Amino acid sequence: MKKARHQLFPQAPRIQKPGMNALYRLPTLWSLRVLYRLQGVKGMWGYPNEITTDGRILNAIGLAELEDKEMGVGAFKRILARKLESVEQQDLRLTGNLDENLKQLGKLVGLSEIDKQLLAFVIILHSDPGLDETADVLGSLVADKAKYVLSVILEISEHDINVALSAESVLSRTGLLRIDR
């Protein structure tokens, strides 16, 4: 059964509990998708024999307690799957200043919801060291592979990603976001 895609931008305002802002949980979700769904676990330090030696990534995904524990790849992947399932059950819509700024920018230049989601991802990627470190396990990506990766991480169709990042798109024309070809 396919799960519904998380909407980063809520339709109605929602009160967040202190310390529970999605801005701090989204990098965990995206990092888990990199490691589990995109098989980024294969790029971690120590793979496959010492999979839990990369403390920075383990900390980024909320599994710091596993650092340096002896464990096989299969067991580690099962833990990742459970953690990903747990995080995906949470309400992870973007709120706060970043959300408001993206909405205002969207009004000014005509950004779609997908455009704003892509921008939010890139902004958070460049401001969250854990997500940045985790994304590095994928290595260098050509444009088509980068679009596929974005579609998996953000749960947006590849077609929609291609449209949002095309040379004629608002993101490209405004210079807000481009993928080097």
Side-chain angles (χ1 to χ4, degrees):
M1 179 166 73
K2 187 166 171 105
K3 293 181 184 176
R5 184 170 67 84
H6 291 283
Q7 296 294 317
L8 293 180
F9 302 95
Q11 298 300 318
R14 189 175 155 284
I15 298 173
Q16 292 272 333
K17 295 179 184 174
M20 298 299 287
N21 189 323
L23 181 59
Y24 302 104
R25 295 181 310 210
L26 283 169
T28 300
L29 170 66
W30 294 334
S31 292
L32 286 163
R33 287 179 178 163
V34 166
L35 294 173
Y36 186 72
R37 292 199 181 143
L38 293 169
Q39 298 297 309
V41 70
K42 293 177 181 176
M44 288 178 67
W45 285 93
Y47 179 87
N49 299 325
E50 297 175 359
I51 196 74
T52 62
T53 59
D54 201 330
R56 289 177 289 190
I57 290 177
L58 292 172
N59 189 50
I61 60 174
L63 295 173
E65 69 278 4
L66 296 180
E67 187 172 1
D68 295 328
K69 287 197 174 182
E70 290 196 24
M71 151 180 327
V73 174
F76 186 68
K77 285 182 178 179
R78 286 189 293 278
I79 291 170
L80 287 178
R82 285 194 302 269
K83 180 75 172 182
L84 177 58
E85 183 178 351
S86 170
V87 172
E88 286 183 328
Q89 299 299 318
Q90 299 172 20
D91 183 11
L92 296 177
R93 295 177 289 180
L94 190 61
T95 60
N97 291 337
L98 181 55
D99 177 46
E100 288 303 315
N101 290 339
L102 287 170
K103 285 179 181 175
Q104 292 300 318
L105 181 61
K107 288 178 187 174
L108 286 172
V109 298
L111 297 175
S112 70
E113 289 302 309
I114 291 172
D115 294 337
K116 290 185 277 186
Q117 288 179 40
L118 286 165
L119 275 177
F121 174 76
V122 171
I123 290 166
I124 294 170
L125 173 68
H126 288 290
S127 61
D128 186 282
L131 177 58
D132 185 50
E133 180 83 19
T134 305
D136 282 348
V137 301
L138 297 174
S140 282
L141 304 172
V142 295
D144 286 340
K145 182 71 172 177
K147 291 174 184 178
Y148 168 75
V149 165
L150 287 168
S151 76
V152 171
I153 293 171
L154 299 175
E155 292 189 325
I156 298 171
S157 76
E158 280 186 79
H159 170 40
D160 289 344
I161 296 285
N162 281 324
V163 169
L165 295 176
S166 71
E168 302 81 34
S169 71
V170 173
L171 289 173
S172 185
R173 286 189 327 239
T174 60
L176 289 170
L177 182 62
R178 289 187 187 122
I179 291 185
D180 293 334
R181 309 226 182 267

